[in-house]
C-alpha cells in the first residue's frame, strides 16, 4: 500500500485547517494522513478516508493543481475516484457482475498497462492480499482478470483503486472497449518501434564511421561531431521509444520488486549516461548504437509477442463477441421492439429471424428451425430445434423464424460460463509455469549480483571501459522474458484450439495432467451412451405398417415426460393422430382412445390385457441393453418397439484410439452387470464393472492411484461428482449435470467422443512444447551469460540474442493453435 496513516496524535491547534476540505480541525482531533512525505491534518474520518484513497491511487497531483478549497462534496474527490465509485452501483453491476450467494461477487475486468509476465505476478500478488478479495487471476494473453470478492468486506471500487495504486488501469470488461484498447496498443507500439528503428539505423550509419576512425584514425573534431549527432538521434529513442521500460521499472521499484524491466532499464540508462559523459568530456567509448539497437530489438520482440498474444486469445474474444448488441422483443400483443440485450429479463419473448444470433439462453415457444452451435460445441452441422427445446445464447438461427422465451441472461448464460471457465483455465498456472515463475522471480536478483561481480572482476583485470562494456552485455543478454513466456502462451494457444473442437478446458493444470495420464475411466450412462432410450426397431404384429404403429404410439404418449414417450416422439415426427381420455398407469403404461378405439402402450402384459389376456408374450431377444415396449388394443398386441440406450457415435473408435496411445481404459457403472458387459464388448473395453455405487467407483480409483496410476475420469452425472473430484484430471460431458461440470477440469461440449482423443493429443503436444520452451530459456541463459561475461559478446549482439530468445518461445507455442 502506498498510504501511510499516522498514529493517532491529538491536534490541539484550533487554527489548523483540514488539508483536504479546508474546514477548521476540531480541538483534540486525531486525524492525519502522510501526503508526499508530509503529515497533513484532517478534520474527520471522512476526509481521512478520502485522502488515503487519493494517495493509494497515486492521485496526489489533485492537491497540487487545485486553486482553492471547495465546500461541494463532488469537488473534494478526484474525478478518477468518482468514476470508480460508480462501479459499486447495483444497476451498473448487473451487466458484468455475477452474484454468488448473498455476499459473494465475481466480475471480469480488463487491465491496461500489462507489459510482461512480471506485471501479472505483481498485480495478482497485490490484489489477492486485499481483505475481502477471495481470488484474483490475470490472463496474460488477453489482459483479462477474474476477481471474486466478499461485498461485505470490500467494494469493487476499492479493488480498482488498489490496482491503480500499483500503476495499472482496471475497468469492467467490455469487448468493444478491449478491441479499441488493443488497437491503440498496436498503434502506440508501432509508433515507438518506428522511432527506435529510424533512430537505430541513423546511429548505426554514423557508428560505422566512428568504428572506422578507431582503426584508421580520425580528427578529434570529426569524432566529436559524429558523437554529438549520435546523441541527438538517440534522445528521441530514450525519451519516447524506451519510455515503457522506464515506467515499468519504476513501478517495480516503487513496489519493492525486481521485475524484468529493471535490468533492461539499468542497461539502457548506464550505457546512455556513459555515452553522454564521454561525448561531453571526450575520450572513452560511446554506446549510442548499442542503446538504440537494444531498444529497437526489445520493442520488435515485444510487438511480435503482443501480436502473437492477441492471436492466441482470439477464440476467447470470438466467444465474447458472439452475442448481438440488439434483439427483437415481443410484447403481449405481439408488437416488436428493438432493445439492447442488456434489457432482457427471464420471461421475455424474443423473435429470431433466419440469420439472427440468439441473445440469451431459453426455449423455443413457436416454430421449427435449425441452429448453428458450431463455435460453442464444435458440432459442424446445424441442430434441429422445435417446441420446448433449449436454445443457447450466441448460436445462430439458420432456417426459419423462431419465437423463444428467455430463461437466463447476463452472467448466468452458458456462453458466459464457458468464457469464465476458459479464462480461469488460461490464467491458472500448471506445475511447469509455477516453477518458471519461481525461477524468474529470483533470476533478476541473481543477474544483478552476477553483473556486479563481472564488473568488479574485469575492472581488476583490465580497465573501466572494458569492464563497463562487458557488464552491459551481461545485463542485456540475460533477460528472463523467455522463461516467463515459456508456458502461458502455450496454455492459451492450446486451450483456444481445443475450445474450437468443443473441448473446454476449465483448469490450468488439466492439459499437463492429461498429457501424463495412464488410465482413463468411463462411466456408461450419458458418457459412452446417450443416457436416454432410443427406438432402434419397430415390429408390427397385426395389419399395420411401422409408420402407422409409431403414429398410434406417439398419439398415446403425447405430452408425456417419460423417456420412452420422448424416444417415440423423436423418431415419429409430428403428431398426426389425437388421443382422448388418456389414462396413465404408473409402472405399466398409458391407455387412450383414438378414432373410437381403445389402445394401450407399455409393458407387454398391460398392452395385451386390454383384449382380456392374463399373460402376454415376453420378448427376450435382442441385446442386454435393450427393452421392449408393446402396443395393443381389444384384439391383442399390434406392434413391438425395441428401445436401447444407444452408443454415442465414435465411442468404439475413441476407445480404440486411446488404447493405441498406451492408455488403459476401464468402464465403471452403476448399471446392471450384463448391460455394462454388453456395452464394454461393443466398444472394446476389457475391464468393465457394473452395479457399482459411487463409493465403489471411488475405491477402485484410489486403488489404481495408490499403484502409481494417473487417472482421467470421464462422467456426466451427479453420482460421478465424487469420482470426478478425486481423479487427477476429470472430464464431464457437456449435457451432464451442473455438479459434474463444477467438479470437472475439462468439459466435452460436443457429443463426439473422438474429440477426447484430440484432447489427449493436444495435451501431450502442449507438455512437449512447454518443456521445449523451458529447456530453451534455461539453456540460452546458461550459454549466453558466460559468453557475455567472458567478453565474447558485444552489447548489440546481446540485444539481438535476448530478443530472439523471447520471440522463439512465443512462435513455438503458437504451433498449438492448429486444431
Amino acid at each position: 500500500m502506498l498510504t501511510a496513516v499516522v498514529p493517532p496524535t491529538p491536534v490541539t491547534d484550533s487554527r489548523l485547517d483540514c488539508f483536504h476540505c479546508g474546514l477548521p480541525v476540531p480541538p483534540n482531533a486525531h486525524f492525519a494522513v502522510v501526503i508526499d512525505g508530509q503529515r497533513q491534518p484532517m478534520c474527520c474520518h471522512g476526509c481521512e478516508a478520502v485522502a488515503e484513497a487519493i494517495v493509494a491511487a497515486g492521485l496526489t497531483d489533485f492537491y497540487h493543481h487545485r486553486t482553492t478549497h471547495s465546500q461541494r462534496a463532488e469537488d473534494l474527490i478526484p474525478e478518477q475516484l468518482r468514476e470508480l465509485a460508480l462501479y459499486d452501483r447495483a444497476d451498473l453491476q448487473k451487466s458484468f457482475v455475477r452474484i454468488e450467494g448473498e455476499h459473494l461477487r465475481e466480475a471480469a475486468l480488463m487491465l491496461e498497462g500489462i507489459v510482461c509476465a512480471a506485471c501479472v505476478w505483481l498485480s495478482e500478488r497485490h490484489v489477492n492480499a486485499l481483505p475481502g478479495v477471495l481470488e484474483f487471476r490475470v490472463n496474460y494473453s488477453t489482459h483479462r482478470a477474474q476477481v471474486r470478492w466478499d461485498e461485505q468486506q470490500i467494494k469493487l471500487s476499492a479493488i480498482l483503486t488498489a490496482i491503480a495504486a500499483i500503476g495499472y488501469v482496471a475497468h469492467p470488461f467490455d469487448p468493444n472497449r478491449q478491441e479499441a484498447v488493443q488497437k491503440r496498443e498496436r498503434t502506440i507500439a508501432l509508433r515507438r518501434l518506428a522511432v527506435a528503428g529510424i533512430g537505430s539505423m541513423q546511429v548505426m550509419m554514423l557508428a560505422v564511421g566512428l568504428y572506422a576512425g578507431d582503426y584508421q584514425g580520425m580528427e578529434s573534431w570529426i569524432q566529436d561531431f559524429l558523437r554529438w549527432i549520435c546523441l541527438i538521434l538517440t534522445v528521441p529513442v530514450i525519451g519516447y521509444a524506451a519510455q515503457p521500460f522506464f515506467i515499468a521499472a519504476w513501478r517495480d521499484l516503487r513496489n519493492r520488486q525486481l521485475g524484468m524491466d529493471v535490468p533492461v532499464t539499468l542497461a539502457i540508462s548506464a550505457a546512455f549516461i556513459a555515452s553522454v559523459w564521454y561525448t561531453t568530456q571526450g575520450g572513452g567509448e560511446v554506446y549510442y548504437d548499442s542503446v538504440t539497437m537494444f531498444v529497437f530489438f526489445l520493442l520488435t520482440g515485444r510487438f511480435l509477442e503482443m501480436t502473437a498474444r492477441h492471436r492466441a486469445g482470439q477464440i476467447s474474444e470470438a466467444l465474447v463477441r458472439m452475442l448481438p448488441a440488439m434483439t427483437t422483443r415481443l410484447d403481449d400483443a405481439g408488437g416488436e421492439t428493438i432493445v439492447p440485450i442488456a434489457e432482457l429479463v427471464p420471461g421475455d419473448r424474443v423473435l429470431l429471424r433466419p440469420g439472427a444470433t440468439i441473445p440469451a439462453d431459453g426455449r423455443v415457444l413457436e416454430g421449427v428451425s435449425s441452429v448453428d452451435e458450431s463455435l460453442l460445441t464444435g458440432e459442424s452441422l446445424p441442430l434441429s430445434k422445435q417446441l420446448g427445446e433449449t436454445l443457447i445464447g450466441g448460436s445462430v438461427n439458420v432456417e426459419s423464424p423462431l419465437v423463444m422465451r428467455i430463461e437466463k441472461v447476463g452472467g448466468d448464460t452458458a456462453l458466459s460460463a464457458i468464457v469464465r471457465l476458459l479464462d480461469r483455465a488460461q490464467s491458472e498456472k500448471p506445475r511447469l509455469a509455477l516453477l518458471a515463475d519461481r525461477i524468474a522471480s529470483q533470476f533478476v536478483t541473481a543477474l544483478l549480483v552476477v553483473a556486479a561481480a563481472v564488473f568488479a572482476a574485469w575492472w581488476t583485470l583490465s580497465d573501466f571501459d572494458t569492464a563497463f562494456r562487458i557488464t552491459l552485455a551481461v545485463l542485456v543478454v540475460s533477460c528472463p522474458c523467455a522463461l516467463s513466456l515459456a508456458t502461458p502462451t502455450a496454455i492459451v494457444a492450446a486451450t483456444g484450439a481445443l475450445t474450437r473442437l468443443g473441448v473446454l478446458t476449465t483448469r490450468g493444470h488439466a492439459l499437463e495432467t492429461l498429457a501424463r495420464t495412464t488410465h482413463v475411466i468411463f462411466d456408461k450412462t450419458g458418457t459412452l451412451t446417450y443416457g436416454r432410450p432410443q427406438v432402434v426397431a419397430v415390429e408390427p404384429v397385426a395389419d399395420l405398417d411401422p409408420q402407422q404403429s409409431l403414429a398410434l404410439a406417439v398419439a398415446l404418449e403425447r405430452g408425456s415426460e417419460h423417456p420412452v414417450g420422448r424416444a417415440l416422439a423423436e423418431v415419429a415426427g409430428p403428431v398426426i393422430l389425437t388421443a382422448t381420455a388418456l389414462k396413465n398407469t404408473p409402472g405399466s403404461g398409458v391407455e387412450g382412445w383414438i378414432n373410437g378405439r381403445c389402445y394401450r402402450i407399455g409393458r407387454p402384459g398391460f398392452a395385451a390385457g386390454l383384449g382380456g389376456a392374463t399373460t402376454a408374450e415376453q420378448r427376450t431377444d435382442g441385446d442386454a441393453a435393450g427393452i421392449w415396449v408393446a402396443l395393443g388394443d381389444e384384439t391383442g398386441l399390434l406392434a413391438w418397439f425395441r428401445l436401447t440406450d444407444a452408443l454415442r457415435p465414435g465411442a468404439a473408435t475413441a476407445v480404440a484410439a486411446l488404447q493405441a496411445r498406451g492408455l488403459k481404459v476401464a468402464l465403471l457403472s452403476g448399471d446392471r452387470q450384463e448391460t455394462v458387459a454388453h456395452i464394454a464388448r461393443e466398444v472394446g473395453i476389457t475391464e468393465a464393472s457394473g452395479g457399482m455405487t459411487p463409493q465403489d467407483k471411488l475405491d477402485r480409483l484410489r486403488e489404481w492411484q495408490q499403484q502409481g496410476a494417473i487417472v482421467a475420469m470421464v462422467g456426466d452425472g451427479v453420482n460421478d461428482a465424487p469420482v470426478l473430484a478425486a481423479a487427477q484430471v476429470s472430464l464431464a460431458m457437456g449435457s451432464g449435470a451442473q455438479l459434474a461440470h463444477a467438479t470437472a477440469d475439462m468439459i466435452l461440449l460436443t457429443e463426439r467422443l473422438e474429440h477426447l482423443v484430440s484432447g489427449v493429443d493436444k495435451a501431450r503436444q502442449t507438455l512437449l512444447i512447454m518443456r521445449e520452451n523451458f529447456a530453451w530459456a534455461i539453456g540460452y541463459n546458461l550459454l549466453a551469460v558466460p559468453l557475455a561475461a567472458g567478453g565474447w559478446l558485444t552489447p548489440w549482439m546481446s540485444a539481438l540474442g535476448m530478443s530472439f530468445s523471447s520471440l522463439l518461445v512465443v512462435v513455438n507455442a503458437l504451433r498449438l493453435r492448429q486444431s
Side-chain angles (χ1 to χ4, degrees):
M1 293 291 294
L2 297 180
T3 62
V5 181
V6 176
T9 302
V11 181
T12 57
D13 188 352
S14 60
R15 294 171 298 177
L16 286 177
D17 291 336
C18 176
F19 185 78
H20 181 69
C21 70
L23 294 176
V25 175
N28 299 318
H30 55 272
F31 310 109
V33 174
V34 173
I35 300 174
D36 292 338
Q38 297 293 321
R39 174 183 178 275
Q40 303 294 352
M42 301 290 158
C43 64
C44 62
H45 275 300
C47 287
E48 184 182 57
V50 173
E52 289 174 14
I54 291 173
V55 175
L59 302 174
T60 54
D61 283 346
F62 166 76
Y63 293 116
H64 301 316
H65 298 312
R66 65 180 179 181
T67 56
T68 184
H69 293 289
S70 173
Q71 302 306 313
R72 296 195 309 162
E74 58 268 28
D75 292 337
L76 297 176
I77 303 177
E79 182 180 356
Q80 296 95 322
L81 289 183
R82 289 202 301 273
E83 291 176 355
L84 295 182
L86 290 175
Y87 293 127
D88 292 333
R89 289 170 45 181
D91 56 336
L92 283 181
Q93 289 190 357
K94 272 175 42 179
S95 61
F96 67 93
V97 173
R98 179 168 168 264
I99 299 175
E100 300 179 7
E102 188 176 353
H103 303 298
L104 298 186
R105 303 289 186 269
E106 181 177 4
L109 305 177
M110 191 168 78
L111 265 64
E112 298 182 33
I114 299 289
V115 294
C116 66
C119 298
V120 173
W121 178 84
L122 173 62
S123 58
E124 287 181 341
R125 181 184 178 191
H126 181 73
V127 177
N128 279 316
L130 298 174
V133 173
L134 306 178
E135 188 177 25
F136 181 77
R137 299 184 311 271
V138 180
N139 183 337
Y140 173 66
S141 292
T142 61
H143 290 184
R144 285 211 304 270
Q146 290 289 331
V147 58
R148 294 179 67 244
W149 73 96
D150 187 335
E151 185 75 5
Q152 283 190 317
Q153 298 186 48
I154 191 170
K155 297 295 183 182
L156 179 59
S157 60
I159 298 174
L160 300 180
T161 301
I163 295 172
I166 56 174
Y168 304 104
V169 177
H171 47 76
F173 173 73
D174 173 55
N176 294 324
R177 182 169 179 178
Q178 183 177 40
E179 185 177 10
V181 168
Q182 289 182 348
K183 184 177 180 180
R184 185 173 72 248
E185 184 182 12
R186 286 192 298 269
T187 301
I188 294 175
L190 279 172
R191 195 177 297 140
R192 295 186 193 279
L193 187 60
V195 171
I198 294 173
S200 63
M201 286 189 293
Q202 300 300 319
V203 170
M204 279 302 299
M205 286 192 297
L206 297 174
V208 170
L210 289 172
Y211 290 145
D214 290 339
Y215 287 101
Q216 300 179 3
M218 177 183 292
E219 294 186 29
S220 60
W221 71 269
I222 298 179
Q223 183 186 62
D224 292 343
F225 175 75
L226 293 178
R227 286 186 172 186
W228 276 103
I229 297 298
C230 287
L231 170 60
I232 294 171
L233 293 171
T234 304
V235 167
V237 177
I238 294 292
Y240 176 71
Q243 190 180 45
F245 308 124
F246 290 98
I247 293 174
W250 171 245
R251 180 171 56 227
D252 290 337
L253 293 175
R254 192 178 62 185
N255 291 285
R256 297 181 176 88
Q257 305 295 334
L258 289 177
M260 300 175 191
D261 286 311
V262 172
V264 168
T265 303
L266 182 60
I268 293 173
S269 302
F272 182 69
I273 292 171
S275 300
V276 172
W277 171 263
Y278 288 130
T279 299
T280 56
Q281 301 299 318
E285 185 175 352
V286 294
Y287 302 96
Y288 295 121
D289 55 334
S290 298
V291 169
T292 54
M293 287 186 67
F294 184 34
V295 173
F296 175 69
F297 288 145
L298 271 175
L299 291 175
T300 300
R302 292 198 178 180
F303 178 78
L304 295 175
E305 174 200 327
M306 176 190 67
T307 303
R309 174 167 49 78
H310 290 171
R311 289 179 59 194
Q314 279 176 356
I315 182 63
S316 180
E317 304 306 318
L319 287 172
V320 172
R321 292 188 176 91
M322 286 178 67
L323 293 179
M326 313 290 284
T327 192
T328 303
R329 184 167 61 190
L330 300 177
D331 56 30
D332 294 338
E336 301 179 8
T337 307
I338 305 296
V339 297
I341 64 168
E343 294 184 9
L344 293 178
V345 296
D348 281 348
R349 294 188 308 141
V350 170
L351 174 64
L352 302 171
R353 294 185 172 87
T357 300
I358 297 171
D361 293 355
R363 293 186 180 274
V364 178
L365 284 180
E366 299 175 20
V368 177
S369 184
S370 296
V371 172
D372 182 3
E373 299 178 352
S374 57
L375 192 56
L376 287 166
T377 65
E379 293 289 350
S380 57
L381 297 177
L383 303 177
S384 176
K385 299 290 181 179
Q386 52 189 340
L387 178 64
E389 293 193 324
T390 59
L391 297 172
I392 302 176
S395 51
V396 178
N397 182 26
V398 177
E399 295 175 339
S400 306
L402 291 174
V403 175
M404 71 173 293
R405 182 180 67 249
I406 301 296
E407 294 183 345
K408 295 180 180 179
V409 297
D412 296 327
T413 62
L415 180 62
S416 297
I418 290 173
V419 172
R420 281 197 305 272
L421 292 173
L422 185 59
D423 275 343
R424 182 177 71 180
Q426 292 178 345
S427 58
E428 287 183 344
K429 296 179 174 64
R431 184 173 51 87
L432 276 178
L434 293 173
L435 177 61
D437 285 350
R438 284 196 297 269
I439 294 175
S441 63
Q442 301 169 6
F443 185 88
V444 174
T445 303
L447 169 62
L448 295 177
V449 172
V450 169
V454 167
F455 180 80
W458 276 102
W459 198 2
T460 303
L461 297 174
S462 184
D463 55 20
F464 175 84
D465 289 344
T466 302
F468 184 82
R469 174 176 53 80
I470 293 175
T471 303
L472 187 62
V474 170
L475 286 172
V476 170
V477 80
S478 53
C479 179
C481 296
L483 197 60
S484 294
L485 291 172
T487 52
T489 313
I491 291 293
V492 170
T495 52
L498 284 176
T499 303
R500 284 194 295 271
L501 285 175
V503 183
L504 179 63
T505 307
T506 67
R507 291 291 182 184
H509 73 87
L511 286 173
E512 183 181 1
T513 309
L514 184 61
R516 298 185 292 112
T517 294
T518 59
H519 289 57
V520 177
I521 299 176
F522 283 99
D523 179 43
K524 180 188 76 71
T525 306
T527 304
L528 289 176
T529 67
Y530 280 104
R532 60 183 184 273
Q534 293 181 323
V535 178
V536 295
V538 181
E539 298 182 7
V541 176
D543 296 331
L544 293 174
D545 61 31
Q547 199 60 39
Q548 289 173 321
S549 302
L550 279 170
L552 291 170
V554 170
L556 291 170
E557 295 281 5
R558 178 169 56 97
S560 172
E561 288 300 318
H562 193 280
V564 171
R566 291 200 299 268
L568 289 167
E570 284 179 5
V571 72
V575 178
I576 58 177
L577 297 175
T578 301
T580 58
L582 290 170
K583 179 183 178 182
N584 179 36
T585 303
S588 295
V590 178
E591 177 183 315
W593 289 79
I594 304 174
N595 296 332
R597 295 183 65 181
C598 188
Y599 294 89
R600 283 183 179 180
I601 186 170
R603 293 183 179 274
F606 174 74
L610 193 59
T614 55
T615 61
E617 174 189 2
Q618 298 293 323
R619 298 292 297 267
T620 58
D621 55 315
D623 60 68
I627 61 172
W628 288 94
V629 174
L631 172 70
D633 63 2
E634 292 93 338
T635 64
L637 294 181
L638 300 177
W640 290 93
F641 305 96
R642 184 163 147 249
L643 295 89
T644 185
D645 186 4
L647 284 172
R648 291 183 184 272
T653 304
V655 169
L658 292 173
Q659 292 170 336
R661 285 156 175 76
L663 297 172
K664 185 174 182 179
V665 181
L667 174 58
L668 304 181
S669 175
D671 210 339
R672 294 177 298 131
Q673 178 61 41
E674 58 268 26
T675 302
V676 173
H678 170 78
I679 293 295
R681 287 192 299 271
E682 288 283 315
V683 299
I685 296 177
T686 56
E687 184 168 352
S689 300
M692 302 189 77
T693 65
Q695 185 61 47
D696 293 334
K697 295 180 184 180
L698 197 57
D699 292 341
R700 183 72 62 87
L701 172 77
R702 287 172 175 166
E703 179 184 339
W704 283 332
Q705 289 175 332
Q706 288 171 0
Q707 296 171 1
I710 299 175
V711 183
M713 174 68 192
V714 188
D716 83 314
V718 172
N719 64 329
D720 294 323
V723 194
L724 289 169
Q728 282 97 333
V729 61
S730 53
L731 301 97
M733 303 304 294
S735 56
Q738 290 300 315
L739 183 56
H741 290 181
T743 310
D745 302 313
M746 304 178 79
I747 299 175
L748 293 175
L749 300 174
T750 173
E751 301 284 334
R752 300 168 61 184
L753 283 173
E754 56 263 37
H755 286 166
L756 171 59
V757 182
S758 301
V760 172
D761 291 341
K762 186 65 69 176
R764 291 180 174 182
Q765 185 187 10
T766 302
L767 184 59
L768 176 62
I769 284 181
M770 285 195 299
R771 287 173 174 170
E772 288 174 352
N773 286 349
F774 202 60
W776 164 259
I778 293 178
Y780 163 79
N781 281 291
L782 290 177
L783 178 65
V785 172
L787 287 176
W792 296 97
L793 296 178
T794 61
W796 71 265
M797 295 169 113
S798 299
L800 183 60
M802 189 276 297
S803 301
F804 175 76
S805 175
S806 298
L807 184 59
L808 183 66
V809 297
V810 173
V811 172
N812 190 38
L814 286 181
R815 293 193 291 131
L816 291 166
R817 295 182 70 247
Q818 302 171 1
S819 300

Coordinates of all heavy atoms in Angstrom, one line a residue, residues 507-537:
R507 N -9.5 -25.8 -16.0 CA -8.4 -25.7 -15.0 C -7.1 -25.6 -15.7 O -6.8 -26.3 -16.7 CB -8.5 -26.9 -14.1 CG -9.7 -27.0 -13.2 CD -9.7 -25.8 -12.1 NE -10.8 -25.9 -11.2 CZ -11.1 -25.0 -10.3 NH1 -10.3 -24.0 -10.2 NH2 -12.1 -25.1 -9.5
G508 N -6.2 -24.8 -15.1 CA -4.9 -24.6 -15.7 C -4.0 -25.9 -15.7 O -3.2 -26.0 -16.6
H509 N -4.2 -26.8 -14.7 CA -3.3 -28.0 -14.7 C -3.8 -29.1 -15.6 O -3.1 -30.1 -15.8 CB -3.3 -28.5 -13.3 CG -4.6 -29.2 -12.9 ND1 -4.8 -30.5 -13.1 CD2 -5.7 -28.7 -12.3 CE1 -6.0 -30.9 -12.7 NE2 -6.6 -29.8 -12.1
A510 N -5.0 -28.9 -16.2 CA -5.7 -30.0 -16.9 C -4.8 -30.6 -18.0 O -4.7 -31.8 -18.2 CB -7.1 -29.6 -17.4
L511 N -4.3 -29.7 -18.9 CA -3.6 -30.2 -20.0 C -2.3 -30.9 -19.6 O -2.0 -32.0 -20.2 CB -3.2 -29.0 -20.9 CG -4.4 -28.4 -21.7 CD1 -3.9 -27.1 -22.4 CD2 -4.9 -29.4 -22.7
E512 N -1.6 -30.4 -18.6 CA -0.3 -31.0 -18.2 C -0.6 -32.4 -17.6 O 0.1 -33.4 -17.9 CB 0.4 -30.1 -17.2 CG 1.7 -30.7 -16.8 CD 2.4 -29.8 -15.7 OE1 1.8 -28.8 -15.3 OE2 3.5 -30.2 -15.3
T513 N -1.7 -32.5 -16.8 CA -2.0 -33.7 -16.2 C -2.6 -34.7 -17.2 O -2.2 -35.9 -17.1 CB -3.1 -33.5 -15.0 OG1 -2.6 -32.5 -14.2 CG2 -3.3 -34.8 -14.2
L514 N -3.4 -34.3 -18.1 CA -4.0 -35.2 -19.1 C -2.8 -35.8 -20.0 O -2.9 -36.9 -20.4 CB -5.0 -34.4 -20.0 CG -5.7 -35.3 -21.0 CD1 -6.5 -36.4 -20.4 CD2 -6.6 -34.4 -21.9
A515 N -1.8 -35.0 -20.2 CA -0.7 -35.5 -21.0 C 0.1 -36.6 -20.3 O 0.7 -37.5 -21.0 CB 0.3 -34.3 -21.3
R516 N 0.0 -36.6 -19.0 CA 0.7 -37.7 -18.2 C -0.2 -38.8 -17.8 O 0.2 -39.7 -17.0 CB 1.4 -37.1 -17.0 CG 2.5 -36.0 -17.4 CD 3.3 -35.5 -16.2 NE 2.4 -34.7 -15.3 CZ 2.1 -35.0 -14.1 NH1 2.5 -36.2 -13.6 NH2 1.3 -34.2 -13.4
T517 N -1.4 -38.8 -18.2 CA -2.4 -39.8 -17.8 C -2.1 -41.2 -18.2 O -1.6 -41.4 -19.4 CB -3.8 -39.4 -18.3 OG1 -4.2 -38.2 -17.7 CG2 -4.8 -40.5 -18.0
T518 N -2.3 -42.2 -17.4 CA -2.0 -43.6 -17.7 C -3.3 -44.4 -17.8 O -3.4 -45.4 -18.5 CB -1.1 -44.2 -16.6 OG1 -1.8 -44.1 -15.3 CG2 0.2 -43.5 -16.6
H519 N -4.4 -44.0 -17.1 CA -5.7 -44.7 -17.0 C -6.8 -43.7 -17.4 O -6.8 -42.6 -16.9 CB -5.9 -45.3 -15.7 CG -5.1 -46.5 -15.3 ND1 -3.7 -46.4 -15.3 CD2 -5.4 -47.8 -15.0 CE1 -3.2 -47.6 -14.9 NE2 -4.2 -48.4 -14.7
V520 N -7.8 -44.2 -18.2 CA -9.0 -43.5 -18.5 C -10.2 -44.3 -18.0 O -10.3 -45.5 -18.5 CB -9.1 -43.1 -20.0 CG1 -10.4 -42.4 -20.2 CG2 -7.9 -42.3 -20.4
I521 N -11.0 -43.8 -17.1 CA -12.2 -44.4 -16.6 C -13.4 -43.8 -17.3 O -13.6 -42.6 -17.2 CB -12.3 -44.4 -15.1 CG1 -11.1 -45.0 -14.4 CG2 -13.6 -45.0 -14.6 CD1 -11.1 -44.9 -12.9
F522 N -14.3 -44.6 -17.9 CA -15.5 -44.1 -18.4 C -16.7 -44.6 -17.5 O -16.7 -45.7 -17.1 CB -15.8 -44.7 -19.8 CG -15.0 -44.0 -20.9 CD1 -13.8 -44.6 -21.4 CD2 -15.4 -42.8 -21.5 CE1 -13.1 -44.0 -22.4 CE2 -14.6 -42.2 -22.4 CZ -13.5 -42.8 -22.9
D523 N -17.7 -43.6 -17.4 CA -19.0 -44.1 -16.9 C -19.7 -44.5 -18.1 O -19.4 -44.2 -19.3 CB -19.7 -42.9 -16.2 CG -21.1 -43.3 -15.7 OD1 -21.2 -44.4 -15.2 OD2 -22.0 -42.4 -15.9
K524 N -20.8 -45.3 -17.9 CA -21.6 -45.7 -19.1 C -22.7 -44.8 -19.5 O -22.6 -44.1 -20.6 CB -22.2 -47.1 -18.8 CG -23.0 -47.7 -20.0 CD -23.7 -48.9 -19.7 CE -25.0 -48.6 -18.9 NZ -26.0 -47.9 -19.7
T525 N -23.7 -44.6 -18.6 CA -24.9 -43.9 -19.0 C -24.6 -42.4 -19.1 O -24.1 -41.8 -18.2 CB -25.9 -44.1 -17.9 OG1 -26.2 -45.5 -17.7 CG2 -27.2 -43.4 -18.3
G526 N -24.9 -41.9 -20.3 CA -24.6 -40.5 -20.6 C -23.2 -40.1 -21.0 O -22.9 -39.0 -21.3
T527 N -22.3 -41.1 -21.0 CA -20.9 -40.9 -21.4 C -20.6 -41.7 -22.6 O -20.5 -41.1 -23.7 CB -20.0 -41.3 -20.2 OG1 -20.4 -40.5 -19.1 CG2 -18.5 -40.9 -20.6
L528 N -20.5 -43.0 -22.5 CA -20.4 -43.9 -23.7 C -21.7 -44.0 -24.4 O -21.7 -44.1 -25.6 CB -19.9 -45.2 -23.3 CG -18.4 -45.3 -22.8 CD1 -18.1 -46.7 -22.4 CD2 -17.5 -44.9 -23.9
T529 N -22.8 -43.9 -23.7 CA -24.1 -43.9 -24.3 C -24.8 -42.5 -24.1 O -24.3 -41.6 -23.4 CB -25.0 -44.9 -23.7 OG1 -25.3 -44.6 -22.3 CG2 -24.3 -46.3 -23.7
Y530 N -25.9 -42.3 -24.8 CA -26.6 -41.0 -24.7 C -27.3 -40.8 -23.4 O -27.5 -39.7 -23.0 CB -27.6 -40.9 -25.8 CG -27.1 -40.5 -27.2 CD1 -26.9 -41.5 -28.2 CD2 -26.7 -39.2 -27.4 CE1 -26.4 -41.2 -29.4 CE2 -26.2 -38.9 -28.7 CZ -26.0 -39.9 -29.6 OH -25.5 -39.5 -30.9
G531 N -27.5 -41.9 -22.6 CA -28.2 -41.7 -21.3 C -29.7 -41.6 -21.4 O -30.4 -41.3 -20.5
R532 N -30.2 -41.9 -22.6 CA -31.7 -41.9 -22.8 C -32.0 -42.9 -23.9 O -31.3 -43.2 -24.8 CB -32.2 -40.5 -23.3 CG -31.6 -40.0 -24.6 CD -32.0 -38.6 -24.9 NE -31.5 -38.2 -26.2 CZ -30.3 -37.6 -26.4 NH1 -29.5 -37.4 -25.4 NH2 -30.0 -37.3 -27.7
P533 N -33.2 -43.6 -23.7 CA -33.6 -44.6 -24.7 C -33.9 -44.1 -26.1 O -34.4 -43.0 -26.2 CB -34.8 -45.3 -24.1 CG -35.4 -44.2 -23.2 CD -34.2 -43.4 -22.7
Q534 N -33.5 -44.9 -27.1 CA -33.8 -44.5 -28.5 C -34.5 -45.7 -29.2 O -34.1 -46.9 -28.9 CB -32.5 -44.1 -29.2 CG -31.9 -42.8 -28.7 CD -30.7 -42.4 -29.5 OE1 -29.9 -43.3 -29.9 NE2 -30.5 -41.1 -29.7
V535 N -35.4 -45.5 -30.0 CA -36.1 -46.5 -30.8 C -35.1 -47.1 -31.8 O -34.7 -46.3 -32.7 CB -37.4 -46.0 -31.4 CG1 -38.1 -47.2 -32.2 CG2 -38.3 -45.5 -30.3
V536 N -34.9 -48.4 -31.8 CA -34.0 -49.0 -32.8 C -34.7 -50.0 -33.7 O -34.1 -50.4 -34.7 CB -32.8 -49.7 -32.1 CG1 -31.9 -48.6 -31.4 CG2 -33.2 -50.7 -31.1
A537 N -35.9 -50.4 -33.3 CA -36.7 -51.3 -34.1 C -38.2 -51.2 -33.9 O -38.6 -50.9 -32.7 CB -36.2 -52.8 -33.8

